[in-house]
């Protein structure tokens, strides 16, 4: 394999690693919400503010991250992202030290900056390295498999660390997970710093002698593409569904006024949701070179609607014994939605930028 081929393989491996980091840190907000209820006396709504802060950060960082990528390239943007991620997780740790709900939200918000910047890097680069089209989608699905693997581990790990939720449950209970995240960020910074990352955007910009567009003209030009506009709307709706389904199901299962299921059992079921996302993405990565993104979206969206209808209208009195607890069968249909959300991110992104 030539030098360029070796460089691309290393770049793909690093992007897969970053894909996993995105999920690990984002996934921490779910169990942290349960802790917020116990330690800070938060309501169900307030307990989800950490998740909200994490994703609201995307609205503030989305365009700056895009322009940073355009001006400084993938490597610089990735280095800045992991540095900010280290700081964000560190702030989350301080929320436990000072027992502050505000610091907890600040940590989630700063972490969201990092996750947005990482998404800005990994998705377009993997799509480009895959050559776009079905092959580009196939590479994104493989990266998504790493993302799902990390997401599967987080709720199970956090559930084990938290144990039974009591008034004594605190952020400090998940410090090991926070330390792992900070260690991953530090390691990623060193690896990226000493690695060669292809810079197709910078190379294309250097070769382009036409006058450069201003910021507003650049945004207007991008939004003139119908597929991109539809993609922005679809990603907005998709993220709410992907994160909302397991998070709200977890709250409902662990709430004393809900199902009052043990945190470890609920965390395992949420982990199963992310594990099914892993399975779906692995299958998509195998067939992605032959099956179009449009066909994938049509199938999974239809199945998701069916699963959600079953979950919503199946009586909760229909139960089964699972992991030593009595669980409504309807919860399992929420878990099955993981199979459907699995390929949506990659296919939406792929269809949007074609």
């Amino acid at each position: 394999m030539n030098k360029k081929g070796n460089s691309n393989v290393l770049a793909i491996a690093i992007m897969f690693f970053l894909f996993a980091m995105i999920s690990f840190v984002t996934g921490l907000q779910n169990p942290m919400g349960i802790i917020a209820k116990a330690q800070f006396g938060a309501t169900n709504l307030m307990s989800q503010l950490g998740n909200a802060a994490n994703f609201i950060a995307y609205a503030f960082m989305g365009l700056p991250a895009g322009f940073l990528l355009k001006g400084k390239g993938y490597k610089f943007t990735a280095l800045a992202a992991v540095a900010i991620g280290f700081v964000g997780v560190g702030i989350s740790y301080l929320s436990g030290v000072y027992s502050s709900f505000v610091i907890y939200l600040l940590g989630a918000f700063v972490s969201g900056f990092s996750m947005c910047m990482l998404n800005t890097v990994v998705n377009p680069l993997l799509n480009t390295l895959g050559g776009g089209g079905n092959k580009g989608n196939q590479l994104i699905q493989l990266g998504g498999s790493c993302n799902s693997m990390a997401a599967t581990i987080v709720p199970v790990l956090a559930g084990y660390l938290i144990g039974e939720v009591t008034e004594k449950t605190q952020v400090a209970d998940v410090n090991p997970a926070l330390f792992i995240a900070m260690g991953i960020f530090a390691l990623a910074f060193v690896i990226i710093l000493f690695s060669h990352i292809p810079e197709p955007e910078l190379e294309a910009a250097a070769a382009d002698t036409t006058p450069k567009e201003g910021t507003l003209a650049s945004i207007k030009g991008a939004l003139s593409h119908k597929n991109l506009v539809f993609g922005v709307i679809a990603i907005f709706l998709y993220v709410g569904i992907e994160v909302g389904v397991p998070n709200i199901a977890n709250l409902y299962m662990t709430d004393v006024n809900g199902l009052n299921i043990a945190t470890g059992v609920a965390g395992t079921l949420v982990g199963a949701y992310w594990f099914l996302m892993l399975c779906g993405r692995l299958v998509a990565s195998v067939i992605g070179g032959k099956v179009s993104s449009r066909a994938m979206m049509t199938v999974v969206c239809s199945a998701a609607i069916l699963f959600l209808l079953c979950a919503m209208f199946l009586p909760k009195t229909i139960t089964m014994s699972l992991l030593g607890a009595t669980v409504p069968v309807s919860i399992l249909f929420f878990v099955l939605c993981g199979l459907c959300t699995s390929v949506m991110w990659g296919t939406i992104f792929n269809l949007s930028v074609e």
Side-chain angles (χ1 to χ4, degrees):
M1 184 180 289
N2 58 33
K3 184 177 180 181
K4 183 177 180 180
N6 284 325
S7 175
N8 285 352
V9 170
L10 178 60
I12 290 170
I14 293 172
M15 292 307 107
F16 284 0
F17 184 66
L18 294 180
F19 235 138
M21 289 174 62
I22 292 170
S23 187
F24 190 92
V25 175
T26 303
L28 280 174
Q29 303 309 320
N30 189 359
M32 293 283 278
I34 296 174
I35 294 173
K37 288 181 62 179
Q39 182 173 357
F40 306 118
T43 63
N44 281 337
L45 176 62
M46 290 178 64
S47 72
Q48 291 303 295
L49 291 180
N51 259 310
N54 192 262
F55 285 102
I56 287 172
Y58 281 61
F60 290 90
M61 183 53 71
L63 284 175
F67 287 114
L68 182 65
L69 176 64
K70 185 177 180 181
K72 296 292 186 178
Y74 289 105
K75 183 171 182 176
F76 183 91
T77 307
L79 286 171
V82 295
I84 293 172
F86 183 91
V87 173
V89 176
I91 294 173
S92 296
Y93 165 73
L94 291 178
S95 70
V97 174
Y98 294 102
S99 191
S100 170
F101 187 67
V102 174
I103 295 178
Y104 157 66
L105 293 180
L106 178 62
F109 188 66
V110 174
S111 295
F113 284 160
S114 173
M115 301 307 101
C116 176
M117 294 169 72
L118 289 177
N119 270 306
T120 304
V121 171
V122 298
N123 289 281
L125 185 55
L126 283 177
N127 194 61
T128 300
L129 293 175
N134 289 356
K135 293 293 185 181
N137 180 37
Q138 188 175 33
L139 207 53
I140 293 176
Q141 297 301 340
L142 275 171
S145 300
C146 299
N147 182 276
S148 297
M149 189 179 300
T152 302
I153 294 170
V154 170
V156 178
L157 174 62
Y160 171 78
L161 293 173
I162 296 171
E164 294 298 322
V165 177
T166 68
E167 65 276 2
K168 295 182 180 180
T169 301
Q170 297 184 351
V171 172
D173 294 336
V174 292
N175 275 352
L178 296 178
F179 293 150
I180 290 171
M182 293 174 72
I184 291 173
F185 276 124
L187 176 62
F189 188 92
V190 174
I191 292 174
I192 296 170
L193 183 64
F194 292 102
S195 299
H196 172 72
I197 305 294
E199 300 287 359
E201 303 295 336
L202 291 183
E203 292 171 6
D208 186 6
T209 57
T210 59
K212 300 298 185 291
E213 294 180 327
T215 299
L216 292 178
S218 179
I219 296 172
K220 184 177 179 180
L223 294 178
S224 67
H225 297 278
K226 183 177 66 175
N227 274 19
L228 179 65
V229 175
F230 285 153
V232 169
I233 297 170
I235 283 288
F236 173 79
L237 296 172
Y238 161 77
V239 171
I241 294 168
E242 182 211 275
V243 177
V245 167
N247 282 8
I248 299 302
N250 197 14
L251 276 177
Y252 178 55
M253 285 188 285
T254 56
D255 196 291
V256 293
N257 296 317
L259 299 178
N260 200 22
I261 294 175
T263 307
V265 175
T268 301
L269 288 171
V270 172
Y273 170 91
W274 297 106
F275 178 72
L276 289 177
M277 284 190 69
L278 168 62
C279 294
R281 284 168 167 170
L282 285 174
V283 172
S285 68
V286 173
I287 67 174
K290 299 178 181 179
V291 179
S292 70
S293 298
R294 186 187 298 271
M296 286 188 189
M297 279 294 291
T298 302
V299 171
V300 297
C301 286
S302 301
I305 292 172
L306 178 62
F307 290 153
L308 286 175
L309 288 173
C310 291
M312 291 165 64
F313 295 108
L314 198 65
K316 68 177 183 180
T317 52
I318 301 177
T319 62
M320 64 181 296
S321 181
L322 193 66
L323 301 172
T326 301
V327 180
V329 174
S330 58
I331 292 294
L332 300 184
F333 283 102
F334 283 123
V335 173
L336 284 172
C337 286
L339 279 173
C340 305
T341 55
S342 61
V343 303
M344 287 184 180
W345 178 281
T347 53
I348 292 170
F349 185 89
N350 181 259
L351 288 168
S352 301
V353 300
E354 287 300 296

